[in-house]
Amino acid sequence: MSNENKQMKLGAILMETGHHVAAWRHPNAGASRVVDVKYYQEMARTAERGKLDLVFFADTLGVPNYNSFFDHNVTIRLEPLTLLASLAAVTSHIGLAATATTTYNEPFHVARMFSSLDHISGGRTGWNVVTSALADEALNFSKEYHLEHSLRYERAKEFLKVVTGLWDSWEDDAFLFDKESGHFADSSKMHVLHHRGEHFNVRGPLNISRSPQGYPVIIQAGSSEEGQNLAAQTAELVFTAQPTLERAQAFYAGLKAKVAAFGRSTDELLIMPGVFPVIGATEQEAKDKLEQLQELIHPAVGIDVLSRKLGHDISGYPLDEPLPDLPESNGDKSRNHLLIDIARKEGLTIRELYMRVAGSRGHHTVVGTPAQVADHLEEWFVKQGADGFNIMSPYLPDGLDEFVDLVVPELQRRGLFRTEYEGTMLRDHLGLSRPNNQFAREAR
């Protein structure tokens, strides 16, 4: 296969004890360390040793209201931006990205926090722009229900416009620090936003200078029609769940076409599907590892995970019968449709579907030797199903060590992945340009 001298991008999603829902029960998982900052620092250094582009922390602002989650699942996590600041102190190159929802935050807070983190890290920050899909989040913010799906995206679009406007409050050379003249800054290079919109009224300016990257890298993960439209207009990196190469190729081609339709270069947006790699010295060993994890799934957890993904409580339906017809969900529509499609096409029972979801959670699963895992990644990359991948290790920290020590060298040997970082900032790693200040004279 020819890769036309391009190299793939690789991120690592550090999901507490691992991406598998039963990962915390694995003998080698760090179950008791889920709020231990040193645990995450060790993994960030492992990712940096592998020359990965970034580590990423997903986040929600609530705990699912299912008894099994309290009894049998990981329900606690560190606030991600606080955690990323600590990771910045012990790393020098790896990108640091996290989720912050536009549904239950304010633009000024998000703009200030991510800009601060970009300064602290020397330009290594990425913001995953999401709308909240977990129904329980609304109950923590004085609401009974989320905004309707399309309205959440309208709010998100305006939210992002306000944040980028605030990030451009100061031109890059606005601060003089001239002790002799007494001029700390040149106020002519300060821009007050004065935003008045449907959802937000924000004066500005931001009380921090423009960050090293100009803007932290804008990441999005919505795969619904509204999510793709927002990503095509504004995102620079897209996380997505695609279970097969054919679906990945269709999503890749469709989203790149949308990017072009909005007048952007297709190179301005990178698409990174999630991959759930189970790695063994032999294919059978890898299969045995997966089976060991699957046997650790508590049935109540499997049902509750699937209920959450579908946006409906399915605990009352027979486990060994097909998934019933369900009404449209107001939650994560793209994941809802994906899972229903898998169940229908493969004729899965509810039990079989939750076993599938509890592992990869709808992402592509690769089970095999390091060379076999590399083969899969190469095929998707070369056949335009991906610009890179989010590695969702089944269990942590060992799963990340296995990928970095066994798969990364194989990708490097094939010329598919870097052997050294190209620069010090996340935009350097991803090959993304630094955005101009929209209000600066030279930008007009």
Side-chain angles (χ1 to χ4, degrees), residues 87-99:
L87 302 188
V90 298
T91 58
S92 58
H93 287 77
I94 190 80
L96 305 168
T99 291

Side-chain angles (χ1 to χ4, degrees), residues 137-415:
E137 292 185 62
L139 303 177
N140 293 330
F141 293 88
S142 304
K143 300 182 184 300
E144 292 296 321
Y145 306 101
H146 289 317
L147 286 172
E148 190 271 327
H149 188 266
S150 62
L151 290 178
R152 295 205 303 272
Y153 274 98
E154 288 179 15
R155 176 186 166 96
K157 186 174 181 179
E158 185 180 341
F159 192 112
L160 187 55
K161 180 180 180 181
V162 175
V163 168
T164 55
L166 289 169
W167 281 338
D168 285 335
S169 293
W170 302 90
E171 295 180 32
D172 291 319
D173 58 351
F175 292 91
L176 306 174
F177 311 113
D178 189 335
K179 294 182 180 181
E180 185 173 345
S181 70
H183 281 89
F184 189 84
D186 180 351
S187 61
S188 71
K189 296 184 177 183
M190 182 268 287
H191 305 279
V192 180
L193 186 61
H194 291 305
H195 174 87
R196 298 188 69 83
E198 182 70 24
H199 300 279
F200 304 106
N201 295 321
V202 180
R203 177 183 178 272
L206 197 63
N207 55 347
I208 188 169
S209 56
R210 201 162 190 255
S211 74
Q213 293 188 106
Y215 301 169
V217 173
I218 301 298
I219 305 168
Q220 285 172 18
S223 294
S224 66
E225 189 66 20
E226 293 95 338
Q228 289 188 53
N229 287 333
L230 182 62
Q233 294 176 74
T234 62
E236 297 170 294
L237 188 62
V238 165
F239 296 161
T240 180
Q242 302 298 332
T244 66
L245 174 58
E246 292 72 23
R247 289 185 67 119
Q249 289 171 319
F251 180 84
Y252 186 95
L255 185 53
K256 293 280 187 174
K258 286 179 180 287
V259 170
F262 282 110
R264 301 175 64 197
S265 166
T266 56
D267 292 334
E268 293 178 41
L269 184 144
L270 302 170
I271 298 174
M272 295 175 63
V275 171
F276 179 81
V278 186
I279 306 163
T282 65
E283 185 175 353
Q284 187 57 52
E285 181 182 300
K287 290 178 178 179
D288 291 343
K289 284 184 176 182
L290 179 57
E291 182 60 28
Q292 179 188 19
L293 281 168
Q294 294 292 83
E295 290 175 353
L296 296 175
I297 300 172
H298 193 287
V301 172
I303 287 294
D304 287 347
V305 168
L306 186 56
S307 295
R308 178 183 174 189
K309 296 297 182 184
L310 293 172
H312 297 283
D313 183 2
I314 60 168
S315 60
Y317 296 102
L319 291 182
D320 295 310
E321 293 187 12
L323 190 69
D325 291 332
L326 298 170
E328 187 77 3
S329 167
N330 189 36
D332 186 341
K333 289 183 180 293
S334 60
R335 190 62 57 87
N336 177 291
H337 293 162
L338 173 66
L339 295 176
I340 291 174
D341 189 50
I342 290 172
R344 299 284 184 257
K345 284 186 175 180
E346 299 185 27
L348 301 180
T349 66
I350 289 176
R351 188 191 306 276
E352 290 168 336
L353 185 59
Y354 86 58
M355 290 289 281
R356 179 82 61 87
V357 172
S360 66
R361 307 187 197 218
H363 293 274
H364 182 52
T365 299
V366 184
V367 183
T369 65
Q372 288 173 321
V373 173
D375 287 343
H376 273 80
L377 301 186
E378 180 174 8
E379 183 180 24
W380 280 44
F381 178 64
V382 172
K383 292 184 177 179
Q384 296 190 319
D387 294 309
F389 304 91
N390 279 310
I391 304 307
M392 300 171 159
S393 298
Y395 51 91
L396 293 170
D398 288 7
L400 180 61
D401 286 320
E402 291 166 353
F403 186 85
V404 165
D405 293 336
L406 301 174
V407 179
V408 167
E410 181 66 22
L411 295 171
Q412 291 170 331
R413 185 185 65 78
R414 302 180 190 194

